[in-house]
């Protein structure tokens, strides 16, 4: 079933365990290709994008088996460098296989990973960086052919801290001949997780957690055991949903140390927060208020992946707020669906919307068109009066293991996909 039904107006109460991070798990799974051995990756979220990545690894000749929520990946017999088309075009995150396969096989043939509704998602930064390492690219019948007779370390600067481009450089650099110095690297926690995994495999990487990464290339890499950190975006989704519905929740395993900007905004909206070793307590205000301006930014700024759910909460908050999206060029698609529920959201130029809080939203039929907008519609349904049906849940299942199960554990009246 591709739809979720929600009876709104119920305060969220209780505790829920936060799943493993989609955006940390995918590059680590790609990195398992770099060792000819077996790695055990624990706390993998059981989501569509991980299932797609598992299929891609199997297509490439890896043996991949689930052991509970761990994945055992044996990359000894990686045979092909042709990455299957259907999985690649539907999933941007397979792009990080490019760097890993170039490192392991020296050549890759893949469908051009297209854009999606939130933006054109170009890959110019990936290509420019890998070209500096000796990779040549050709486009042929819609496919991207990459070749590196000899992959060499290089001094590379990213003009924008692209998460994916940073990951691809790291994945190519660990097996390249010579050292790579990457400046302008992304600071997202998922990069740190990837560095930690690679170092556990035997890679030598300095500068973890900074925008300057130095990789000593050519080291032999070994299989290892690794635990995927909890998903900061899923934790933030439930945190803001609680702020919007009222109530109080405990988000078990929430990686709050990676969420400063999220916690800062939550407090400014009136939430009471108490961090503990194993998670974070959230006490919602009677009615949230929003700051005059909210804007997304690369980490450690406010994450673009939580912009839609904050937009939904701002729709029922006191006052008005200008939300500016600085990362993707089309990440306000959810606004048209929120307006159907009575939200007052006006476009302000290409990259901003003005949200005037209303007393309450009206439940009704709405459609998810992408992952985080879909999660925002579920949050809106929790806050709205009456029943909301969200269709297009296949998008939500790409990033949330089971959003209905999680929210039911917090007392929501929700059924569906
Ligand atoms: C990663 O996407 C995440 N995906 C995204 O999460 C996240 O929103 C994004 O980083 C920003 O934090 C995964 O990790 C699988 P970027 P990525 O390269 O790597 C432009 C979610 O909902 N750009 O940092 O694709 C690009 O168009 C997803 O979980 C270029 O112009 O993000 C975008 O505007 C959505 N040229 C901006 O940079 C390039 O070569 C950020 O892209 C690469 C990117």
């Amino acid at each position: 079933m591709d739809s979720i039904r929600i009876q709104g107006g119920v305060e969220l109460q209780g505790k829920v365990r936060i799943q493993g991070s989609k955006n940390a798990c995918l590059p680590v799974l790609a990195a398992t290709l770099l060792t000819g051995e077996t790695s055990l990756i624990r706390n993998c979220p059981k989501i569509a994008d991980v299932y797609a990545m598992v299929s891609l690894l199997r297509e490439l000749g890896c043996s991949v088996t689930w052991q509970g929520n761990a994945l055992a990946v044996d990359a000894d017999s990686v045979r092909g460098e042709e990455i299957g088309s259907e999985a690649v075009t539907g999933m941007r995150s397979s792009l990080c296989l490019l760097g890993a396969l170039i490192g392991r096989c020296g050549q890759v043939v893949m469908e051009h990973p297209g854009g999606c509704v939130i933006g054109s998602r170009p890959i110019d930064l990936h290509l420019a960086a890998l070209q500096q390492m000796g990779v040549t690219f050709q486009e042929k019948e819609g496919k991207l052919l990459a070749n590196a007779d000899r992959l060499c370390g290089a001094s590379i600067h990213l003009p924008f801290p692209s998460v994916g481009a940073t990951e691809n450089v790291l994945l190519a650099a660990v097996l390249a001949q010579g050292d790579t110095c990457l400046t302008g690297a992304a600071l997202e926690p998922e990069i740190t997780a990837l560095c930690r995994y690679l170092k556990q495999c035997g890679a030598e990487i300095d500068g973890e957690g900074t925008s300057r990464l130095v990789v000593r290339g050519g080291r032999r890499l070994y299989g290892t055991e690794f635990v995927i950190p909890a998903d900061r975006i899923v934790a933030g989704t439930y945190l803001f949903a609680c702020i919007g519905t009222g109530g109080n929740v405990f988000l078990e395993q929430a990686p709050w140390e990676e969420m400063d900007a999220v916690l800062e905004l939550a407090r400014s909206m009136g939430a009471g927060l108490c961090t503990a070793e194993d998670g974070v307590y959230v006490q919602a205000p009677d009615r949230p208020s929003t700051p005059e301006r909210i804007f997304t930014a690369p980490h450690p700024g406010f994450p673009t992946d939580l912009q839609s759910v904050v937009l939904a909460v701002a729709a029922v908050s006191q006052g008005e707020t200008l939300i500016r999206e600085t990362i993707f060029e089309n990440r306000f698609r959810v606004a048209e669906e929120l307006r159907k529920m009575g939200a007052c959201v006006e476009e302000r130029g290409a990259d901003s919307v003005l949200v005037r809080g209303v007393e309450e939203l009206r439940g009704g039929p709405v459609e998810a068109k992408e992952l985080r907008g879909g999660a925002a519609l579920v949050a809106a349904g929790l806050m709205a009066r009456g029943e909301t049906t969200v269709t297009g849940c296949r998008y939500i299942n790409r990033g949330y293991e089971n959003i209905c199960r999680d929210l039911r554990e917090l007392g929501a009246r929700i059924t569906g996909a």
Side-chain angles (χ1 to χ4, degrees), residues 76 81 115 144 146 417:
D76 177 40
E81 50 284 338
L144 187 65

Side-chain angles (χ1 to χ4, degrees), residues 22-23 26 92-93 118 121-126 160-164 188 304-305 327-329 331 371-372:
K22 165 174 89 78
N23 293 348
L26 293 167
R92 162 94 183 182
S93 27
I118 64 173
R121 313 292 293 275
I123 61 170
D124 54 313
L125 300 177
H126 298 246
F160 176 86
S162 156
V163 172
E188 272 68 8
T304 173
D305 294 347
I327 306 293
F328 290 106
E329 71 262 28
R331 206 165 198 180
L371 166 55
R372 304 303 176 183

Side-chain angles (χ1 to χ4, degrees), residues 68-83:
N69 69 357
L71 277 168
V73 184
D74 176 352
D76 177 40
S77 53
V78 169
R79 61 172 181 274
E81 50 284 338
E82 167 102 25
I83 304 179

Side-chain angles (χ1 to χ4, degrees), residues 72-243:
V73 184
D74 176 352
D76 177 40
S77 53
V78 169
R79 61 172 181 274
E81 50 284 338
E82 167 102 25
I83 304 179
S85 57
E86 66 296 332
V88 169
T89 41
M91 188 183 74
R92 162 94 183 182
S93 27
S94 55
L95 188 53
C96 53
L97 283 170
L98 176 59
L101 274 174
I102 281 285
R104 175 72 188 269
C105 307
Q107 57 179 6
V108 186
V109 178
M110 67 189 290
E111 288 282 303
H112 201 291
C116 59
V117 291
I118 64 173
S120 59
R121 313 292 293 275
I123 61 170
D124 54 313
L125 300 177
H126 298 246
L127 303 183
L130 293 172
Q131 279 166 338
Q132 283 188 254
M133 299 176 74
V135 184
T136 57
F137 293 96
Q138 286 174 303
E139 289 246 11
K140 206 169 168 188
E141 292 139 32
K143 290 187 184 254
L144 187 65
L145 284 62
N147 216 303
D149 296 333
R150 192 163 174 276
L151 197 57
C152 308
S155 286
I156 300 167
H157 176 72
L158 289 177
F160 176 86
S162 156
V163 172
T166 301
E167 289 163 350
N168 263 330
V169 170
L170 279 169
L171 291 166
V174 289
L175 292 183
Q177 296 304 314
D179 296 350
T180 294
C181 177
L182 174 63
T183 53
L187 297 172
E188 272 68 8
E190 292 76 35
I191 303 297
T192 301
L194 179 60
C195 287
R196 283 193 7 255
Y197 169 74
L198 291 169
K199 288 162 81 170
Q200 274 187 219
C201 293
E204 275 193 55
I205 302 172
D206 294 327
E208 183 182 314
T210 75
S211 61
R212 183 178 185 275
L213 299 171
V214 178
V215 182
R216 314 276 177 220
R219 298 299 186 275
R220 176 158 164 59
L221 299 181
Y222 303 88
T224 189
E225 196 168 314
F226 186 76
V227 181
I228 297 295
D231 193 310
R232 61 193 173 100
I233 304 302
V234 171
T237 302
Y238 299 158
L239 185 154
F240 286 115
C242 174
I243 291 174

